[in-house]
Protein backbone atom coordinates (compact mmCIF):
# COMPACT_ATOMS: atom_id res chain seq x y z
CA UNK A 1 0.00 0.00 0.00
CA UNK A 2 1.26 3.46 -0.84
CA UNK A 3 1.31 6.09 1.91
CA UNK A 4 -1.19 8.92 1.40
CA UNK A 5 0.13 11.76 -0.72
CA UNK A 6 -0.99 15.07 0.71
CA UNK A 7 -2.05 17.93 -1.51
CA UNK A 8 0.10 20.99 -1.19
CA UNK A 9 -1.60 24.23 -0.33
CA UNK A 10 -1.44 26.32 -3.52
CA UNK A 11 -1.73 30.03 -3.10
CA UNK A 12 -4.63 31.95 -4.58
CA UNK A 13 -2.09 33.41 -7.00
CA UNK A 14 -1.23 29.94 -8.29
CA UNK A 15 -4.86 28.98 -8.86
CA UNK A 16 -5.94 32.29 -10.40
CA UNK A 17 -2.89 32.36 -12.69
CA UNK A 18 -4.50 29.70 -14.89
CA UNK A 19 -7.34 31.21 -16.95
CA UNK A 20 -10.63 29.40 -17.58
CA UNK A 21 -12.34 28.54 -20.85
CA UNK A 22 -15.72 27.19 -21.91
CA UNK A 23 -16.37 23.89 -23.66
CA UNK A 24 -19.97 24.55 -24.53
CA UNK A 25 -21.50 25.21 -21.09
CA UNK A 26 -18.68 23.43 -19.25
CA UNK A 27 -15.98 25.62 -17.70
CA UNK A 28 -12.44 24.22 -17.46
CA UNK A 29 -8.87 25.42 -17.06
CA UNK A 30 -7.32 26.86 -20.23
CA UNK A 31 -4.74 24.06 -20.18
CA UNK A 32 -5.84 20.54 -19.24
CA UNK A 33 -3.90 17.39 -18.43
CA UNK A 34 -3.95 14.45 -20.79
CA UNK A 35 -3.71 11.38 -18.57
CA UNK A 36 -2.80 8.76 -21.18
CA UNK A 37 0.97 9.05 -20.87
CA UNK A 38 1.13 8.04 -17.22
CA UNK A 39 -0.48 4.69 -18.06
CA UNK A 40 -0.03 3.82 -21.71
CA UNK A 41 0.83 4.97 -25.21
CA UNK A 42 4.34 6.39 -25.12
CA UNK A 43 5.99 3.59 -23.21
CA UNK A 44 5.30 1.61 -20.04
CA UNK A 45 3.28 3.19 -17.22
CA UNK A 46 5.18 5.21 -14.64
CA UNK A 47 5.15 4.23 -10.98
CA UNK A 48 1.75 4.62 -9.35
CA UNK A 49 3.01 7.01 -6.69
CA UNK A 50 4.67 9.21 -9.32
CA UNK A 51 1.52 9.27 -11.44
CA UNK A 52 -0.67 10.29 -8.52
CA UNK A 53 1.84 12.95 -7.48
CA UNK A 54 1.87 14.37 -11.01
CA UNK A 55 -1.93 14.52 -11.29
CA UNK A 56 -2.25 16.13 -7.87
CA UNK A 57 0.45 18.66 -8.72
CA UNK A 58 -1.54 19.64 -11.79
CA UNK A 59 -4.55 20.32 -9.58
CA UNK A 60 -2.40 22.34 -7.18
CA UNK A 61 -1.30 24.48 -10.13
CA UNK A 62 -4.89 25.23 -11.14
CA UNK A 63 -5.64 22.52 -13.71
CA UNK A 64 -9.29 21.47 -13.48
CA UNK A 65 -9.65 19.34 -16.65
CA UNK A 66 -8.29 15.77 -16.48
CA UNK A 67 -8.68 13.62 -19.58
CA UNK A 68 -8.72 9.83 -19.48
CA UNK A 69 -10.26 6.81 -21.26
CA UNK A 70 -10.97 3.17 -20.52
CA UNK A 71 -8.57 2.13 -23.28
CA UNK A 72 -5.58 3.93 -21.71
CA UNK A 73 -3.82 1.04 -20.04
CA UNK A 74 -6.39 -0.35 -20.62
CA UNK A 75 -8.18 0.86 -17.48
CA UNK A 76 -5.07 2.01 -15.56
CA UNK A 77 -5.37 5.70 -16.44
CA UNK A 78 -8.91 5.91 -15.03
CA UNK A 79 -7.79 4.16 -11.84
CA UNK A 80 -4.94 6.62 -11.34
CA UNK A 81 -7.11 9.65 -12.05
CA UNK A 82 -9.81 8.38 -9.71
CA UNK A 83 -7.43 7.78 -6.84
CA UNK A 84 -5.49 11.01 -7.32
CA UNK A 85 -8.55 13.27 -7.45
CA UNK A 86 -10.97 11.57 -5.06
CA UNK A 87 -10.50 14.15 -2.30
CA UNK A 88 -11.10 17.09 -4.68
CA UNK A 89 -13.73 15.43 -6.84
CA UNK A 90 -16.17 18.33 -6.76
CA UNK A 91 -13.52 20.83 -7.85
CA UNK A 92 -12.39 19.11 -11.05
CA UNK A 93 -13.73 18.00 -14.41
CA UNK A 94 -13.19 14.32 -15.16
CA UNK A 95 -13.41 13.34 -18.82
CA UNK A 96 -13.35 9.80 -20.15
CA UNK A 97 -14.20 7.87 -23.31
CA UNK A 98 -15.93 4.75 -24.57
CA UNK A 99 -15.97 3.15 -27.98
CA UNK A 100 -13.49 0.29 -28.09
CA UNK A 101 -14.09 -3.43 -27.65
CA UNK A 102 -11.56 -4.50 -25.03
CA UNK A 103 -11.02 -8.20 -24.44
CA UNK A 104 -10.61 -10.01 -21.09
CA UNK A 105 -6.81 -9.75 -21.20
CA UNK A 106 -6.79 -6.11 -22.27
CA UNK A 107 -6.52 -6.69 -26.01
CA UNK A 108 -8.23 -4.11 -28.23
CA UNK A 109 -10.50 -6.02 -30.61
CA UNK A 110 -11.99 -3.13 -32.56
CA UNK A 111 -14.75 -0.57 -32.09
CA UNK A 112 -17.97 -0.98 -30.14
CA UNK A 113 -20.46 1.81 -29.51
CA UNK A 114 -23.59 -0.29 -29.19
CA UNK A 115 -25.93 1.22 -26.58
CA UNK A 116 -25.69 -1.75 -24.21
CA UNK A 117 -21.89 -1.64 -24.42
CA UNK A 118 -21.80 2.09 -23.68
CA UNK A 119 -23.79 1.50 -20.50
CA UNK A 120 -21.48 -1.32 -19.43
CA UNK A 121 -18.39 0.81 -20.00
CA UNK A 122 -19.81 3.77 -18.10
CA UNK A 123 -20.60 1.66 -15.04
CA UNK A 124 -17.05 0.28 -15.02
CA UNK A 125 -15.52 3.73 -15.59
CA UNK A 126 -17.50 5.22 -12.70
CA UNK A 127 -16.03 2.61 -10.37
CA UNK A 128 -12.46 3.16 -11.55
CA UNK A 129 -12.83 6.94 -11.36
CA UNK A 130 -14.32 6.64 -7.85
CA UNK A 131 -17.20 8.92 -8.73
CA UNK A 132 -20.95 8.94 -9.31
CA UNK A 133 -20.79 10.91 -12.58
CA UNK A 134 -18.50 11.53 -15.53
CA UNK A 135 -18.35 15.24 -16.28
CA UNK A 136 -17.57 14.84 -19.99
CA UNK A 137 -18.02 11.53 -21.80
CA UNK A 138 -16.68 11.14 -25.33
CA UNK A 139 -17.22 8.57 -28.01
CA UNK A 140 -13.55 7.72 -28.62
CA UNK A 141 -13.96 6.91 -32.31
CA UNK A 142 -16.98 6.99 -34.59
CA UNK A 143 -18.38 3.47 -34.98
CA UNK A 144 -19.26 2.66 -38.63
CA UNK A 145 -21.77 0.04 -37.45
CA UNK A 146 -23.82 2.15 -35.02
CA UNK A 147 -25.85 5.25 -36.00
CA UNK A 148 -24.50 8.28 -34.15
CA UNK A 149 -28.09 9.11 -33.14
CA UNK A 150 -28.20 5.85 -31.15
CA UNK A 151 -24.90 6.71 -29.50
CA UNK A 152 -25.99 10.26 -28.65
CA UNK A 153 -29.39 9.01 -27.49
CA UNK A 154 -27.78 6.55 -25.09
CA UNK A 155 -25.58 9.28 -23.63
CA UNK A 156 -28.66 11.51 -23.40
CA UNK A 157 -30.33 8.85 -21.25
CA UNK A 158 -27.21 8.62 -19.07
CA UNK A 159 -27.27 12.40 -18.65
CA UNK A 160 -30.90 12.26 -17.56
CA UNK A 161 -29.90 9.58 -15.03
CA UNK A 162 -27.14 11.82 -13.68
CA UNK A 163 -24.31 9.41 -14.54
CA UNK A 164 -22.94 11.73 -17.24
CA UNK A 165 -23.05 15.52 -17.38
CA UNK A 166 -21.78 16.43 -20.86
CA UNK A 167 -21.30 14.66 -24.21
CA UNK A 168 -18.34 14.78 -26.58
CA UNK A 169 -16.94 13.19 -29.74
CA UNK A 170 -13.34 12.37 -30.59
CA UNK A 171 -11.85 12.51 -34.09
CA UNK A 172 -15.23 13.35 -35.61
CA UNK A 173 -15.92 15.21 -38.84
CA UNK A 174 -18.53 17.84 -39.59
CA UNK A 175 -21.42 15.61 -40.68
CA UNK A 176 -21.18 13.37 -37.62
CA UNK A 177 -20.90 16.34 -35.27
CA UNK A 178 -24.06 17.89 -36.70
CA UNK A 179 -26.03 14.64 -36.49
CA UNK A 180 -24.98 13.97 -32.90
CA UNK A 181 -25.66 17.55 -31.81
CA UNK A 182 -29.26 17.31 -33.04
CA UNK A 183 -29.87 14.32 -30.77
CA UNK A 184 -27.91 15.49 -27.71
CA UNK A 185 -25.97 18.72 -27.23
CA UNK A 186 -22.29 18.16 -27.91
CA UNK A 187 -20.14 20.15 -25.49
CA UNK A 188 -16.73 19.34 -26.93
CA UNK A 189 -14.88 17.70 -29.77
CA UNK A 190 -11.50 16.11 -29.02
CA UNK A 191 -9.38 15.95 -32.17
CA UNK A 192 -5.64 15.95 -32.74
CA UNK A 193 -4.54 19.53 -33.39
CA UNK A 194 -1.16 21.21 -33.35
CA UNK A 195 1.04 23.48 -35.43
CA UNK A 196 2.02 20.56 -37.68
CA UNK A 197 -1.30 18.63 -37.63
CA UNK A 198 -4.08 20.72 -39.16
CA UNK A 199 -6.70 18.10 -40.17
CA UNK A 200 -9.31 19.57 -37.83
CA UNK A 201 -9.27 23.00 -39.47
CA UNK A 202 -11.28 21.98 -42.54
CA UNK A 203 -14.50 20.80 -40.85
CA UNK A 204 -14.41 20.50 -37.07
CA UNK A 205 -13.39 24.04 -36.21
CA UNK A 206 -15.97 25.78 -38.46
CA UNK A 207 -18.75 23.49 -37.18
CA UNK A 208 -17.69 23.98 -33.55
CA UNK A 209 -17.74 27.75 -34.00
CA UNK A 210 -21.16 27.62 -35.61
CA UNK A 211 -22.73 25.37 -32.96
CA UNK A 212 -20.98 26.71 -29.84
CA UNK A 213 -18.95 23.55 -29.24
CA UNK A 214 -15.51 23.56 -27.59
CA UNK A 215 -12.43 21.88 -29.04
CA UNK A 216 -10.08 19.86 -26.85
CA UNK A 217 -6.79 19.53 -28.70
CA UNK A 218 -4.95 16.28 -28.09
CA UNK A 219 -1.36 15.84 -29.27
CA UNK A 220 -0.80 19.62 -29.00
CA UNK A 221 3.00 19.17 -28.78
CA UNK A 222 3.14 16.85 -31.77
CA UNK A 223 3.65 13.83 -29.48
CA UNK A 224 6.75 15.55 -28.17
CA UNK A 225 8.40 16.39 -31.48
CA UNK A 226 7.49 20.10 -31.46
CA UNK A 227 9.34 20.59 -28.17
CA UNK A 228 12.62 20.19 -30.05
CA UNK A 229 13.89 17.65 -27.54
CA UNK A 230 13.53 14.54 -29.73
CA UNK A 231 16.56 14.08 -32.03
CA UNK A 232 16.13 12.68 -35.51
CA UNK A 233 18.18 9.66 -34.41
CA UNK A 234 15.65 8.72 -31.71
CA UNK A 235 14.17 5.23 -31.74
CA UNK A 236 11.02 4.14 -29.94
CA UNK A 237 10.30 0.88 -28.15
CA UNK A 238 7.43 -1.29 -29.35
CA UNK A 239 5.20 -0.17 -26.46
CA UNK A 240 5.52 3.42 -27.72
CA UNK A 241 2.86 4.25 -30.31
CA UNK A 242 5.31 6.53 -32.10
CA UNK A 243 7.18 3.41 -33.23
CA UNK A 244 4.27 2.82 -35.64
CA UNK A 245 3.93 6.38 -36.92
CA UNK A 246 5.44 7.33 -40.29
CA UNK A 247 6.11 10.84 -38.97
CA UNK A 248 8.54 9.40 -36.41
CA UNK A 249 10.90 7.53 -38.71
CA UNK A 250 14.46 8.89 -38.67
CA UNK A 251 14.04 10.21 -42.20
CA UNK A 252 10.74 12.02 -41.46
CA UNK A 253 11.99 13.53 -38.21
CA UNK A 254 15.05 14.86 -40.01
CA UNK A 255 12.96 16.23 -42.89
CA UNK A 256 10.51 17.91 -40.49
CA UNK A 257 13.16 19.70 -38.42
CA UNK A 258 12.30 23.09 -40.04
CA UNK A 259 8.97 23.18 -38.17
CA UNK A 260 10.89 22.90 -34.89
CA UNK A 261 13.22 25.71 -35.99
CA UNK A 262 10.19 27.87 -36.84
CA UNK A 263 8.79 27.45 -33.33
CA UNK A 264 12.24 27.85 -31.82
CA UNK A 265 12.78 31.27 -33.37
CA UNK A 266 9.63 32.63 -31.74
CA UNK A 267 10.42 30.90 -28.44
CA UNK A 268 13.93 32.33 -28.24
CA UNK A 269 12.71 35.84 -28.97
CA UNK A 270 10.19 35.59 -26.15
CA UNK A 271 12.47 33.76 -23.75
CA UNK A 272 10.20 30.71 -23.37
CA UNK A 273 10.21 27.02 -24.30
CA UNK A 274 9.20 25.59 -27.67
CA UNK A 275 6.41 23.69 -25.92
CA UNK A 276 5.00 26.92 -24.55
CA UNK A 277 4.85 28.51 -28.00
CA UNK A 278 3.12 25.41 -29.41
CA UNK A 279 0.48 25.56 -26.66
CA UNK A 280 0.09 29.34 -26.79
CA UNK A 281 -0.48 29.08 -30.56
CA UNK A 282 -3.47 26.81 -29.91
CA UNK A 283 -5.02 28.99 -27.20
CA UNK A 284 -4.59 32.03 -29.46
CA UNK A 285 -6.48 30.36 -32.32
CA UNK A 286 -9.88 30.37 -30.63
CA UNK A 287 -11.07 31.21 -27.08
CA UNK A 288 -12.80 27.81 -26.88
CA UNK A 289 -9.77 25.64 -27.69
CA UNK A 290 -8.26 23.78 -24.72
CA UNK A 291 -5.01 21.84 -25.29
CA UNK A 292 -4.38 18.78 -23.12
CA UNK A 293 -0.65 18.01 -23.21
CA UNK A 294 0.34 14.82 -21.46
CA UNK A 295 3.58 14.25 -19.60
CA UNK A 296 5.22 12.03 -16.99
CA UNK A 297 7.47 14.73 -15.52
CA UNK A 298 6.50 17.51 -13.13
CA UNK A 299 8.97 20.02 -14.61
CA UNK A 300 7.40 19.52 -18.05
CA UNK A 301 3.94 19.79 -16.49
CA UNK A 302 4.88 23.15 -14.97
CA UNK A 303 6.19 24.39 -18.31
CA UNK A 304 2.96 23.35 -20.02
CA UNK A 305 0.78 25.06 -17.43
CA UNK A 306 2.83 28.25 -17.60
CA UNK A 307 2.11 28.38 -21.34
CA UNK A 308 -1.35 29.70 -20.44
CA UNK A 309 0.32 33.01 -19.61
CA UNK A 310 2.36 33.25 -22.83
CA UNK A 311 0.84 35.82 -25.15
CA UNK A 312 1.41 35.67 -28.90
CA UNK A 313 0.89 38.86 -30.87
CA UNK A 314 -0.71 39.02 -34.29
CA UNK A 315 2.80 39.38 -35.70
CA UNK A 316 3.93 36.23 -33.86
CA UNK A 317 0.95 34.27 -35.17
CA UNK A 318 1.50 35.53 -38.70
CA UNK A 319 5.17 34.57 -38.54
CA UNK A 320 4.24 31.02 -37.60
CA UNK A 321 1.53 30.77 -40.27
CA UNK A 322 3.69 32.24 -43.01
CA UNK A 323 6.59 30.00 -42.10
CA UNK A 324 4.45 26.88 -41.87
CA UNK A 325 2.85 27.55 -45.26
CA UNK A 326 6.31 27.15 -46.82
CA UNK A 327 6.83 23.71 -45.27
CA UNK A 328 5.74 20.26 -46.38
CA UNK A 329 5.36 17.90 -43.43
CA UNK A 330 6.72 14.44 -44.15
CA UNK A 331 4.91 11.32 -42.90
CA UNK A 332 1.36 10.58 -41.77
CA UNK A 333 0.44 11.52 -38.20
CA UNK A 334 -0.50 7.93 -37.29
CA UNK A 335 -0.28 4.44 -38.70
CA UNK A 336 -2.68 3.52 -41.48
CA UNK A 337 -4.60 1.21 -39.12
CA UNK A 338 -5.18 4.05 -36.66
CA UNK A 339 -6.01 6.57 -39.38
CA UNK A 340 -8.61 4.14 -40.72
CA UNK A 341 -10.58 4.59 -37.49
CA UNK A 342 -10.90 8.36 -37.94
CA UNK A 343 -14.18 9.83 -39.16
CA UNK A 344 -14.62 11.30 -42.63
CA UNK A 345 -13.76 14.98 -42.49
CA UNK A 346 -11.47 14.60 -39.46
CA UNK A 347 -8.62 13.10 -41.44
CA UNK A 348 -6.61 15.12 -43.94
CA UNK A 349 -7.67 14.33 -47.50
CA UNK A 350 -11.20 13.26 -46.55
CA UNK A 351 -14.49 15.15 -46.42
CA UNK A 352 -17.93 14.54 -44.95
CA UNK A 353 -19.54 17.44 -46.79
CA UNK A 354 -22.64 16.29 -48.61
CA UNK A 355 -22.56 12.92 -46.82
CA UNK A 356 -23.71 11.49 -43.47
CA UNK A 357 -20.15 10.83 -42.36
CA UNK A 358 -18.71 7.49 -41.28
CA UNK A 359 -21.60 6.67 -38.95
CA UNK A 360 -24.44 4.77 -40.68
CA UNK A 361 -27.94 6.13 -40.92
CA UNK A 362 -30.79 4.53 -39.04
CA UNK A 363 -32.77 2.11 -41.19
CA UNK A 364 -35.78 4.39 -41.35
CA UNK A 365 -33.60 7.28 -42.54
CA UNK A 366 -31.96 5.46 -45.45
Amino acid sequence: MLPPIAFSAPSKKQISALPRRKLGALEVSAIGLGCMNVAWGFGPPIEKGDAIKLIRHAYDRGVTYFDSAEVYGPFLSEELVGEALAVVRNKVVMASKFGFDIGPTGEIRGLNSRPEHIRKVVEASLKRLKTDRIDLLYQHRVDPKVPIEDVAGTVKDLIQEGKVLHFGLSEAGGATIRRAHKEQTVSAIQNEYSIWTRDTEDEAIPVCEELGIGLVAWGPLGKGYLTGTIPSSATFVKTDLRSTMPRFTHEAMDANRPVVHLIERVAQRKGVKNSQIALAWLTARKPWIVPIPGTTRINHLDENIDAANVQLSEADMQEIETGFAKLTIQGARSSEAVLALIDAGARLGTSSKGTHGRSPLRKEEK
Side-chain angles (χ1 to χ4, degrees):
M1 294 292 291
L2 288 169
I5 302 174
F7 278 81
S8 58
S11 66
K12 290 183 179 179
K13 183 178 180 181
Q14 280 181 299
I15 296 293
S16 62
L18 194 54
R20 299 294 191 259
R21 293 193 161 202
K22 286 289 191 71
L23 301 173
L26 182 63
E27 185 175 89
V28 300
S29 51
I31 303 284
L33 179 63
C35 298
M36 180 184 80
N37 295 22
V38 297
W40 182 79
F42 292 167
I46 63 175
E47 291 295 325
K48 180 178 179 180
D50 292 337
I52 291 174
K53 183 178 180 181
L54 181 101
I55 295 168
R56 290 182 175 178
H57 183 78
Y59 170 78
D60 286 347
R61 286 295 316 276
V63 173
T64 64
Y65 178 95
F66 296 85
D67 191 90
S68 187
E70 62 155 355
V71 79
Y72 299 161
F75 314 128
L76 179 57
S77 174
E78 288 183 323
E79 292 171 358
L80 294 170
V81 170
E83 182 163 343
L85 300 175
V87 298
V88 290
R89 175 63 189 95
N90 293 331
K91 297 180 181 179
V92 297
V93 170
M94 286 184 177
S96 196
K97 309 176 194 73
F98 65 86
F100 283 98
D101 181 13
I102 302 173
T105 60
E107 71 274 22
I108 301 171
R109 302 183 294 196
L111 299 177
N112 188 345
S113 281
R114 296 193 306 273
E116 64 273 18
H117 185 72
I118 296 173
R119 283 188 166 276
K120 181 180 178 181
V121 170
V122 166
E123 292 300 329
S125 292
L126 288 170
K127 290 179 181 177
R128 288 190 290 268
L129 291 168
K130 300 182 185 299
T131 185
D132 61 351
R133 80 279 184 192
I134 298 171
D135 298 296
L136 177 53
L137 180 68
Y138 297 94
Q139 181 189 40
H140 210 148
R141 292 292 183 271
V142 176
D143 192 329
K145 295 182 179 180
V146 182
I148 194 62
E149 290 82 4
D150 293 349
V151 174
T154 302
V155 177
K156 182 177 184 178
D157 291 341
L158 289 166
I159 289 173
Q160 292 173 346
E161 294 166 20
K163 294 179 180 179
V164 174
L165 301 187
H166 297 271
F167 177 41
L169 300 171
S170 183
E171 290 295 352
T176 302
I177 296 170
R178 290 182 186 281
R179 288 172 58 195
H181 194 70
K182 287 181 180 179
E183 185 72 26
Q184 166 58 45
T185 299
V186 176
S187 294
I189 303 302
Q190 185 175 138
N191 287 12
E192 184 175 4
Y193 190 31
S194 66
I195 288 175
W196 75 339
T197 299
R198 305 292 190 92
D199 307 39
T200 199
E201 291 181 344
D202 289 342
E203 289 191 17
I205 285 181
V207 172
C208 284
E209 187 147 45
E210 175 190 339
L211 300 179
I213 299 171
L215 176 67
V216 173
W218 73 268
L221 301 179
K223 292 129 178 170
Y225 184 80
L226 300 182
T227 67
T229 60
I230 298 178
S232 299
S233 59
T235 57
F236 303 94
V237 297
K238 289 183 178 181
T239 55
D240 191 315
L241 293 175
R242 289 171 293 189
S243 67
T244 69
M245 298 175 183
R247 200 170 283 188
F248 283 89
T249 63
H250 295 163
E251 295 77 12
M253 287 192 289
D254 190 54
N256 290 327
R257 197 58 55 180
V259 74
V260 173
H261 297 158
L262 172 62
I263 297 169
E264 198 170 59
R265 287 194 292 272
V266 180
Q268 289 179 346
R269 187 171 67 244
K270 289 187 168 293
V272 299
K273 300 284 187 178
N274 277 28
S275 58
Q276 294 173 325
I277 294 300
L279 294 172
W281 177 84
L282 280 166
T283 56
R285 299 291 281 180
K286 299 290 180 181
W288 36 264
I289 291 178
V290 176
I292 52 167
T295 184
T296 60
R297 300 181 183 181
I298 285 181
N299 64 315
H300 291 167
L301 173 62
D302 282 331
E303 290 171 1
N304 294 340
I305 292 171
D306 289 341
N309 298 311
V310 174
Q311 300 296 318
L312 295 183
S313 66
E314 289 185 13
D316 295 328
M317 295 292 285
Q318 188 59 52
E319 178 181 348
I320 293 171
E321 291 307 289
T322 300
F324 184 77
K326 298 176 182 178
L327 305 178
T328 300
I329 300 301
Q330 299 295 317
R333 61 182 172 110
S334 292
S335 68
E336 187 56 40
V338 172
L339 289 174
L341 300 177
I342 295 175
D343 190 26
R347 174 183 174 181
L348 201 63
T350 68
S351 174
S352 72
K353 295 175 182 178
T355 76
H356 54 74
R358 195 162 184 259
S359 175
L361 296 174
R362 285 170 168 165
K363 292 181 179 179
E364 62 270 20
E365 295 174 338
K366 290 183 180 180

